[in-house]
Amino acid sequence: NAGVTQTPKFQVLKTGQSMTLQCAQDMNHEYMSWYRQDPGMGLRLIHYSVGAGITDQGEVPNGYNVSRSTTEDFPLRLLSAAPSQTSVYFCASEDSGNTIYFGEGSWLTVV
Amino acid sequence: DAKTTQPPSMDCAEGRAANLPCNHSTISGNEYVYWYRQIHSQGPQYIIHGLKNNETNEMASLIITEDRKSSTLILPHATLRDTAVYYCIVRVGPNSGYALNFGKGTSLLVTP
């Protein structure tokens, strides 16, 4: 998956806790994004960024914050975890040829 | 936003070509068609993408009809490792964050 690194791979949270999912790429890609995938479903866009200092909301942004202080990093913050946020989270980045590469995913369970 | 329609499942014999169809009749003129596959909830793996012309790379070929309302992904010599869920995706524009609109995909089973 061409250098998109996500951490942690697995996490269990209690309702109300906060945490940050990390995403990094070393390919100097401008466009980065976060998706979530619920069981049996396709991926849905949470937030995206077209470059450092610029972020915007996707289809399902509620309960999540992002920032893009550098080109390399695009962390996703869960402010107050809820069971509905139990999902698999994928970070992605895009090269100049419009090819989008996904990370391996972060499995989050909120109890 | 353009939506895609794919058959829920297909079978293919190992060594044969796998032809996966996709309908995207509401696609707009500047929207790209992407194909990804996913194995056991791993990260989606990029296969190929195109706008109007047919495309080929080391993994597959993408055939887009002239009216762009449908396309076919061709895996020329399917192997057991090609068993996966294949997603045909129309990438939407800036008003929707350039999102990849994943549907439910086609579950391809390659048999010995």
Side-chain angles (χ1 to χ4, degrees):
Chain A
N1 283 331
V4 179
T5 303
Q6 292 183 232
T7 56
K9 193 169 181 66
F10 299 99
Q11 182 72 48
V12 178
L13 286 179
K14 295 183 179 179
T15 297
Q17 287 185 317
S18 62
M19 78 157 297
T20 299
L21 300 177
Q22 302 291 345
C23 177
Q25 52 89 13
D26 59 0
M27 299 169 285
N28 205 34
H29 292 170
E30 294 293 335
Y31 182 92
M32 296 184 71
S33 54
W34 276 101
Y35 287 79
R36 61 177 286 175
Q37 184 175 32
D38 299 321
M41 305 283 288
L43 281 70
R44 292 182 294 168
L45 181 66
I46 305 172
H47 283 285
Y48 68 99
S49 168
V50 297
I54 305 169
T55 63
D56 209 339
Q57 298 180 350
E59 178 186 359
V60 288
N62 291 342
Y64 307 95
N65 270 356
V66 292
S67 60
R68 187 88 180 275
S69 56
T70 67
T71 299
E72 293 78 19
D73 300 301
F74 190 42
L76 177 72
R77 297 183 184 84
L78 281 72
L79 308 172
S80 177
S84 60
Q85 293 179 301
T86 294
S87 190
V88 184
Y89 292 84
F90 292 100
C91 180
S93 73
E94 177 178 353
D95 69 15
S96 58
N98 303 118
T99 298
I100 300 166
Y101 302 96
F102 284 85
E104 286 300 317
S106 296
W107 274 251
L108 176 66
T109 300
V110 182
V111 298
Chain B
D1 294 342
K3 297 293 189 288
T4 60
T5 303
Q6 300 177 253
S9 64
M10 294 181 63
D11 293 345
C12 179
E14 188 177 20
R16 305 296 292 268
N19 295 281
L20 288 81
C22 180
N23 181 286
H24 33 78
S25 58
T26 60
I27 194 170
S28 298
N30 59 351
E31 292 177 333
Y32 281 77
V33 178
Y34 283 75
W35 283 83
Y36 280 80
R37 70 182 183 185
Q38 193 174 27
I39 302 172
H40 296 310
S41 291
Q42 295 177 16
Q45 180 186 18
Y46 169 81
I47 301 173
I48 201 166
H49 75 281
L51 183 63
K52 296 180 182 178
N53 300 322
N54 297 338
E55 302 287 345
T56 295
N57 62 21
E58 65 277 6
M59 288 184 68
S61 294
L62 173 62
I63 308 298
I64 303 174
T65 58
E66 192 169 345
D67 63 8
R68 301 211 325 123
K69 292 185 177 182
S70 65
S71 61
T72 301
L73 178 74
I74 301 172
L75 307 178
H77 305 287
T79 71
L80 300 179
R81 288 181 293 180
D82 291 324
T83 292
V85 177
Y86 286 77
Y87 293 99
C88 170
I89 299 160
V90 171
R91 189 175 192 195
V92 297
N95 289 341
S96 297
Y98 303 100
L100 295 169
N101 262 343
F102 283 78
K104 295 190 175 180
T106 295
S107 180
L108 176 67
L109 176 64
V110 181
T111 56

